[in-house]
Amino acid sequence: MCGIVGYIGHRPAADVLLRGLQRLEYRGYDSAGIAVMNGTLAVHKKKGKVQDLAHLLENVQVDGSLGIGHTRWATHGFPSDVNAHPHANPSGDFALVHNGIIENYAALREKLVAEGRTFQSQTDTEVLVHLIDRLWDGGAISLEEAVRQALQLVVGTYGIAVVSAHDPDLLIAARKGSPLILGVGEGEYFIGSDAAPLVEYTRQVVFLNDGEMVVVRRSGYEVRTIDNVVLNKEVHELEWDLEQIEKGGYEHFMLKEIMEQPVSLENCMRGRVQPAENTLKLGGLIHEMDRLRAARRIVIAACGTSWHAGLVGEYLIESLARIPVEVEYASEFRYRNPILGEGDVVLVISQSGETADTLAAVREAKQRKVPVYGICNVVGSTIARETDAGVYLHAGPEIGVASTKAFTAQVTVLAMLALKLAEGRTISQAEMAHYLQALAAIPDKVRAVLETCDQPIRQIAQVYRYASNFLYLGRGYNFPVALEGALKLKEISYIHAEGYPAAEMKHGPIALIDQFMPVVFIAMKDSTYDKVVSNIEEVVARKGSVIAITDTDNGELDKLCEYVIRIPATEEFLSPLLTVVPLQLLSYHIAVMRGCNVDQPRNLAKSVTVE
Ligand code: HGA
């Protein structure tokens, strides 16, 4: 979603802003722009890529050490140069960038137009600009005060940054519902939607909370609430470093992150899974275990890939710990008046920790006085801060829009949680020891999958790259993996794909099967294997072309299937951690062969910060 960057200090602002916007590209966007203050405000914006903006700036001199920048993912008004941010007031006194949605913009716009104001763009954002302009009234009150008052008039969500043409030492930022952080340097400060644009300059950050506004000058900053109460905010040290957010020689972030999984899973389990001592620790939930174990029901709420991980979580927790679990789309949860009561706990999953729908689910649960826990990757993110407790993935920054290493880390955390809930209740000490060994062996097995499967999968991708549809089928723990495999393909190659529980195929999707329909089966030699083989037979009998994922030593499927991908065996409940990897590679290679922009797929945003 939209990215915001702001800078005040001693460096050339345009350079910092452009680099920052490049680092924010992964969030997904359709246009980009900057406003730099140097006596007057120079606003440059363009539909298209940050690169297009950079070309535009090659022929102009943009001096100044104060400015704001934005990558826009349109919500109100199509992508165009005019709708791109920053938006300046009519006389160019200040410029503003905005992430979020002003929900009451139509009524406000009507009122402002009736007052004689003319709008340049179709955005909801411009309403905020006019509101500030009206309150500021040529300097009747300070710009900070005008921003503060205007924010009290809007309904909806915002992360904003504002610069003035009249004050070379003023950068204002505020948030409600859209993430924003302040980077603290030596005599210089940065604003970012996330840490990506700041990490090369500073790792000291202040996380802004909803309803907070920061006024930044080169000499320091002050955070207040929108109601003007001064706050004393803690400065945090970021875990990210620059190397982690660069491609490190890979063609795409997505491939880098697929290949990183052995290490990200080791990091995720470090200090937690200790087979030698037969211990499993989940520090973040240590004080919540009794409550979780006694839960009448665990409700998991998430979106997209995290929802698929949640579905694996349901299978894991129910089968290992025998606690009832329900998995909800976070976007539906809030609006269907969910039944939550005594004994229920809510567990939300979000890589970024900023997903608007998931955050809304957190707030819904809190309002109903139900304990809510989070599984997030980004340390210090809003969901991490607003939940009662939680577990971090420690997978490192995920930049690729199509989530890969976050999914495997989420499943790993859910497996650890399920085992922890089961410990001393539904599984014995000996079983625990065995399962911890199996978990600890996963990173090496993922390494083996990556080493042995990448080449054969490239060949398979070559064959199927022009298919228009794909079906992904799996049972049990691998049904959510089928959903995830289909989602990965859709997201980055734009091929229509569906995931189904293998046995559901005959209740509908089987009608689609002919010689042009590639069907990917997850057919590990587990408790569902024989049934899955019958489902493969049913597809083959209708001339479907089958690609199967099965155990290294299983030769039984060779005659039946067009292609067989072999991966190491593990405990059935851990198999999603391995079976998903070939599916990630398959979607990646097909997308590359189709010439798709893997790291910036069309219409998609990495961190979906609007509802
Ligand atoms: N509503 C604004 C900003 C959109 C946004 O935040 N996207 O993530 C617009 O449409 O310009």
Side-chain angles (χ1 to χ4, degrees):
M1 293 268 131
C2 294
I4 288 180
V5 56
Y7 179 71
I8 182 165
H10 45 78
R11 300 172 202 258
D15 293 354
V16 177
L17 299 175
L18 261 187
R19 284 176 74 82
L21 292 182
Q22 273 153 4
R23 298 224 183 268
L24 289 167
E25 281 191 289
Y26 80 96
R27 294 168 70 93
Y29 70 104
D30 48 59
S31 31
I34 58 168
V36 177
M37 154 69 177
N38 190 23
T40 55
L41 281 176
V43 179
H44 299 279
K45 50 191 196 171
K46 186 117 195 75
K47 178 184 163 192
K49 295 287 166 197
V50 173
Q51 197 52 30
D52 300 319
L53 177 68
H55 282 317
L56 185 84
L57 293 172
E58 272 166 17
N59 306 317
V60 281
Q61 182 81 9
V62 192
D63 294 326
S65 54
L66 163 65
I68 51 177
H70 190 261
T71 47
R72 172 175 191 245
W73 187 88
T75 65
H76 292 58
F78 46 81
S80 67
D81 291 356
V82 173
N83 286 338
H85 301 212
H87 292 280
N89 72 327
S91 38
D93 301 290
F94 64 87
L96 172 148
V97 291
H98 165 227
N99 176 14
I101 293 176
I102 308 297
E103 287 167 11
N104 58 343
Y105 88 100
L108 289 171
R109 185 172 169 135
E110 209 175 297
K111 210 166 142 204
L112 289 158
V113 168
E115 286 173 17
R117 290 184 166 268
T118 313
F119 280 72
Q120 306 294 323
S121 76
Q122 285 90 41
T123 62
D124 51 332
T125 303
E126 204 184 342
V127 161
L128 192 50
V129 174
H130 279 281
L131 280 179
I132 297 171
D133 190 44
R134 192 176 68 168
L135 290 157
W136 177 68
D137 193 18
I141 57 172
S142 70
L143 188 61
E144 299 96 288
E145 192 48 38
V147 170
R148 184 174 297 117
Q149 289 184 21
L151 291 178
Q152 286 168 353
L153 300 175
V154 296
V155 176
T157 54
Y158 55 79
I160 58 160
V162 186
V163 278
S164 159
H166 303 292
D167 191 340
D169 196 28
L170 174 68
L171 172 62
I172 303 168
R175 76 159 269 183
K176 184 183 157 213
S178 297
L180 221 48
I181 59 178
L182 170 74
V184 180
E186 299 270 316
E188 58 178 353
Y189 297 91
F190 306 81
I191 296 291
S193 297
D194 62 38
L198 339 169
V199 273
E200 64 185 287
Y201 308 105
T202 180
R203 286 167 64 186
Q204 308 293 312
V205 297
V206 174
F207 296 109
L208 292 185
N209 285 330
D210 278 355
E212 291 178 1
M213 182 168 140
V214 62
V215 173
V216 194
R217 301 187 187 277
R218 286 179 186 78
S219 55
Y221 63 91
E222 186 178 61
V223 183
R224 291 177 187 244
T225 65
I226 304 292
D227 313 320
N228 222 357
V229 178
V230 179
L231 300 169
N232 203 351
K233 301 276 295 183
E234 204 182 325
V235 178
H236 294 262
E237 168 101 19
L238 279 178
E239 275 188 2
W240 290 22
D241 63 43
L242 195 57
E243 202 184 304
Q244 288 178 309
I245 60 164
E246 304 214 304
K247 280 191 211 153
Y250 285 97
E251 203 183 331
H252 297 100
F253 281 112
M254 182 182 179
L255 184 60
K256 176 184 176 227
E257 288 158 8
I258 291 173
M259 295 299 177
E260 259 171 19
Q261 287 177 110
V263 176
S264 56
L265 294 179
E266 275 161 7
N267 290 341
C268 179
M269 287 189 250
R270 177 158 301 118
R272 293 168 169 171
V273 174
Q274 288 164 328
E277 289 101 58
N278 198 11
T279 56
L280 174 60
K281 287 189 200 140
L282 278 180
L285 289 176
I286 203 157
H287 303 299
E288 306 296 327
M289 273 302 155
D290 289 345
R291 203 202 293 250
L292 273 158
R293 288 197 181 111
R296 180 183 71 165
R297 187 175 65 133
I298 297 175
V299 178
I300 298 179
C303 303
T305 287
S306 302
W307 186 85
H308 295 155
L311 217 50
V312 181
E314 176 181 20
Y315 282 65
L316 284 163
I317 296 171
E318 289 200 344
S319 77
L320 289 168
R322 311 303 299 156
I323 300 172
V325 177
E326 263 171 54
V327 186
E328 297 263 0
Y329 285 111
S331 54
E332 288 293 308
F333 183 67
R334 171 156 82 133
Y335 295 106
R336 65 179 200 83
N337 194 10
I339 300 172
L340 288 175
E342 190 67 31
D344 290 336
V345 301
V346 171
L347 178 65
V348 297
I349 309 172
S350 162
Q351 186 284 130
S352 65
E354 303 292 349
T355 315
D357 290 317
T358 313
L359 184 56
V362 171
R363 292 175 179 166
E364 181 70 32
K366 286 184 99 172
Q367 209 172 15
R368 290 162 186 257
K369 311 261 180 297
V370 168
V372 50
Y373 307 119
I375 298 177
C376 299
N377 192 31
V378 179
V379 176
S381 55
T382 309
I383 293 177
R385 284 179 286 139
E386 289 202 12
T387 42
D388 296 315
V391 185
Y392 282 121
L393 302 182
H394 295 309
E398 189 178 69
I399 308 286
V401 169
S403 179
T404 52
K405 65 175 181 174
F407 175 79
T408 45
Q410 287 164 342
V411 171
T412 302
V413 166
L414 288 159
M416 292 189 287
L417 176 62
L419 287 173
K420 197 74 205 158
L421 293 171
E423 191 176 32
R425 294 170 65 236
T426 44
I427 58 171
S428 66
Q429 283 261 330
E431 282 169 321
M432 187 69 164
H434 178 73
Y435 292 154
L436 290 181
Q437 299 273 7
L439 249 177
I442 288 290
D444 276 341
K445 291 187 178 181
V446 172
R447 215 166 258 128
V449 174
L450 292 169
E451 273 162 21
T452 58
C453 296
D454 192 45
Q455 231 12 69
I457 289 173
R458 274 175 208 255
Q459 281 160 19
I460 297 172
Q462 190 78 26
V463 174
Y464 292 101
R465 74 195 138 137
Y466 294 123
S468 352
N469 297 288
F470 261 79
L471 211 52
Y472 286 74
L473 301 174
R475 297 181 82 131
Y477 285 103
N478 281 309
F479 154 54
V481 175
L483 295 178
E484 176 60 8
L487 179 65
K488 285 292 88 92
L489 192 69
K490 280 185 271 208
E491 283 180 309
I492 56 166
S493 73
Y494 320 136
I495 295 176
H496 171 245
E498 303 228 30
Y500 266 94
E504 270 297 302
M505 173 190 66
K506 52 191 176 298
H507 300 286
I510 198 162
L512 298 170
I513 288 168
D514 60 15
Q515 69 271 35
F516 303 113
M517 174 66 97
V519 185
V520 179
F521 270 96
I522 303 154
M524 300 306 288
K525 285 211 119 189
D526 58 23
S527 62
T528 65
Y529 177 72
D530 293 337
K531 304 281 177 205
V532 172
V533 174
S534 303
N535 299 139
I536 294 178
E537 294 276 9
E538 288 156 11
V539 169
V540 172
R542 286 159 185 84
K543 298 201 167 52
S545 179
V546 174
I547 303 154
I549 296 168
T550 194
D551 301 55
T552 313
D553 57 2
N554 182 16
E556 285 170 17
L557 299 177
D558 292 18
K559 276 210 204 86
L560 207 52
C561 304
E562 213 81 44
Y563 293 95
V564 177
I565 299 167
R566 292 191 166 76
I567 64 171
T570 180
E571 286 299 317
E572 183 165 347
F573 75 93
L574 296 175
S575 78
L577 294 168
L578 303 181
T579 54
V580 76
V581 178
L583 304 187
Q584 297 168 342
L585 287 169
L586 183 65
S587 62
Y588 173 77
H589 288 305
I590 289 180
V592 171
M593 286 172 193
R594 286 167 71 96
C596 299
N597 188 342
V598 171
D599 281 335
Q600 290 165 39
R602 70 179 179 210
N603 303 337
L604 289 183
K606 175 69 183 161
S607 156
V608 186
T609 52
V610 295
E611 270 192 63

